[in-house]
Amino acid sequence: MKPASLRPFLPHPAIRRHLPQCRAYAIQSPGAPNLQVFDSHTKYLQKERAASNAERSRRVDYLRDEVASRLCERLLDINRHFPSVLDLGANACNIARTLTTQAPLAPNDPPLQTRMSHLTSADWSPTLLHRDEHLPFNSHLSSHTRTILSDPDIESLPFAPHSFDAVLSSLSLHWVNDLPSLLSQVAKILKPDSPFLAAIFGGDSLFELRTSLQLADLDRRGGVATHVSPLADVRDVGGLLQKAGFKLLTVDVDDIVVEYPDTFALMQDLQAMGESNAALVRETNAGLRGLGRDVLLANEGIYRELHGDGGERIPATWRVIYMIGWTAGEGQPEPLRRGSGDVNIKDILEAGNGDKGRSR
């Protein structure tokens, strides 16, 4: 007698079927890949919350005002008139205010604000953008409008191609996720032979706070978390500008050291500026669950031990990267074709070494 077959009692998926062999592959979605480093919505809320207290926000404008002044000094070196200028990521219109107070290079030179016919200040935080619209400096500008960027991510610019004679940006672009895409769009909205001048916080900014927080985390919690947002490195800026199509590049670095009474005052100023950590990989609600009291107290002691000079105040270093690029245009100086030189640099160096040897 044959044993009973179990096949009729097996569930349907258990019956073996002969299916054609197939293999699935991962497919790139349309468009260029976009690496998300920062939480744009969180940064928007931080700036809105900071600007809601106008008086406190103005008290911590010392960095933005100083960097805007140094950026406008670079604009003074360009001897031309700009009919239309864009201030991209204007914050509280710090550049507009600086234009009305910046002294000219020579006593007979006209004021800087008269060298441009119209200034457009654009930012995605309406509260911060309109914070100082009632102050007297607005009436000193010949023509000034404020534009709210509808998307918290400023990678998409709502301006027509070739609509500006210059684009400025002071301490805003370091929060952009897709900086190469934004720089390409800036090159498109600029007219030919027009400058782009920007200043951003560099990768070594607040290195004192980074190191002390890491050591405090490691000592109190046995691990390291992200408490300070990552920033661009100066070595990458020139390549990004060149990739976006800019010519005649200039990149330089400036360190601004500010003294604070303690680390608590430093972090309070960061919050009032709207410059708190907004990295996607971060501890949420860090003030309660992440940075506990023991970590904050340990950070204060480590900071003073490593970076203090024994006095009552502690230093904090802000590294600012300045960049200047020009869109291509007629009449610009161009590098000579490779191999077109008439003199070999090797011969000059060898001749110089020979002269030094004879003089000895």
Side-chain angles (χ1 to χ4, degrees):
M1 181 177 179
K2 293 183 179 181
S5 175
L6 297 178
R7 184 178 180 87
F9 304 101
L10 291 176
H12 185 72
I15 300 177
R16 184 174 299 175
R17 298 186 177 208
H18 296 284
L19 299 176
Q21 296 292 328
C22 62
R23 180 176 295 175
Y25 295 91
I27 299 176
Q28 170 79 32
S29 60
N34 184 8
L35 177 63
Q36 297 290 324
V37 179
F38 307 111
D39 189 337
S40 301
H41 184 65
T42 296
K43 179 50 57 181
Y44 166 78
L45 294 178
Q46 288 176 355
K47 297 184 74 171
E48 283 288 289
R49 190 180 301 113
S52 62
N53 189 339
E55 291 302 322
R56 184 188 179 195
S57 179
R58 291 191 185 100
R59 286 198 298 268
V60 296
D61 264 352
Y62 50 86
L63 268 177
R64 287 174 178 159
D65 289 340
E66 178 63 26
V67 174
S69 176
R70 299 187 185 191
L71 190 66
C72 289
E73 287 178 0
R74 289 160 170 80
L75 186 64
L76 282 171
D77 297 332
I78 304 175
N79 188 19
R80 66 166 62 177
H81 180 79
F82 302 100
S84 181
V85 178
L86 171 65
D87 180 10
L88 182 60
N91 293 313
C93 299
N94 303 84
I95 286 182
R97 180 168 54 248
T98 301
L99 291 174
T100 62
T101 58
Q102 188 82 15
L105 294 177
N108 296 329
D109 289 347
L112 184 57
Q113 71 267 24
T114 62
R115 294 172 56 178
M116 57 184 66
S117 301
H118 180 75
L119 175 66
T120 301
S121 299
D123 200 275
W124 66 94
S125 171
T127 305
L128 185 60
L129 182 64
H130 294 282
R131 190 196 69 184
D132 296 338
E133 61 182 357
H134 62 283
L135 295 184
F137 76 86
N138 293 277
S139 60
H140 297 162
L141 296 168
S142 56
S143 179
H144 182 210
T145 58
R146 290 172 167 85
T147 301
I148 300 174
L149 300 174
S150 57
D151 191 346
D153 244 339
I154 62 175
E155 284 93 339
S156 55
L157 300 179
F159 304 108
H162 308 300
S163 54
F164 294 102
D165 300 276
V167 173
L168 311 176
S169 182
S170 180
L171 298 186
S172 285
L173 301 188
H174 54 276
W175 292 116
V176 175
N177 278 308
D178 194 358
L179 188 56
S181 174
L182 177 67
L183 293 178
S184 298
Q185 293 187 58
V186 170
K188 291 179 182 178
I189 65 176
L190 275 170
K191 298 178 181 178
D193 192 26
S194 298
F196 167 63
L197 298 87
I200 62 174
F201 285 132
D204 290 335
S205 292
L206 299 179
F207 71 90
E208 303 97 339
L209 185 62
R210 294 175 190 268
T211 55
S212 62
L213 277 175
Q214 288 175 356
L215 292 174
D217 253 347
L218 191 62
D219 180 64
R220 291 295 185 264
R221 302 196 300 173
V224 177
T226 302
H227 299 299
V228 182
S229 296
L231 299 172
D233 191 86
V234 64
R235 294 171 293 184
D236 303 326
V237 172
L240 292 175
L241 289 172
Q242 189 173 19
K243 184 178 179 181
F246 288 101
K247 311 293 183 182
L248 306 176
L249 307 181
T250 303
V251 179
D252 61 292
V253 178
D254 202 359
D255 287 342
I256 302 177
V257 180
V258 182
E259 292 186 342
Y260 295 89
D262 47 48
T263 57
F264 304 103
L266 168 59
M267 287 186 280
Q268 286 174 356
D269 277 15
L270 283 173
Q271 188 177 25
M273 294 176 189
E275 294 290 335
S276 301
N277 184 19
L280 282 175
V281 183
R282 71 185 190 281
E283 290 181 313
T284 57
N285 199 14
L288 297 177
R289 293 196 298 268
L291 284 177
R293 181 183 180 88
D294 54 343
V295 176
L296 291 173
L297 292 176
N299 172 66
E300 171 70 14
I302 294 173
Y303 196 112
R304 289 187 177 276
E305 182 67 24
L306 293 180
H307 309 292
D309 57 359
E312 295 182 355
R313 306 180 72 84
I314 57 173
T317 303
W318 303 81
R319 171 153 292 187
V320 183
I321 302 176
Y322 299 92
M323 63 189 83
I324 303 176
W326 291 75
T327 53
E330 296 182 1
Q332 282 185 345
E334 296 287 342
L336 295 177
R337 181 176 54 85
R338 185 178 179 88
S340 61
D342 298 329
V343 180
N344 194 333
I345 187 68
K346 180 180 178 181
D347 299 336
I348 297 177
L349 294 177
E350 289 178 350
N353 292 334
D355 294 341
K356 289 183 179 180
R358 285 192 295 269
S359 65
R360 292 176 183 174

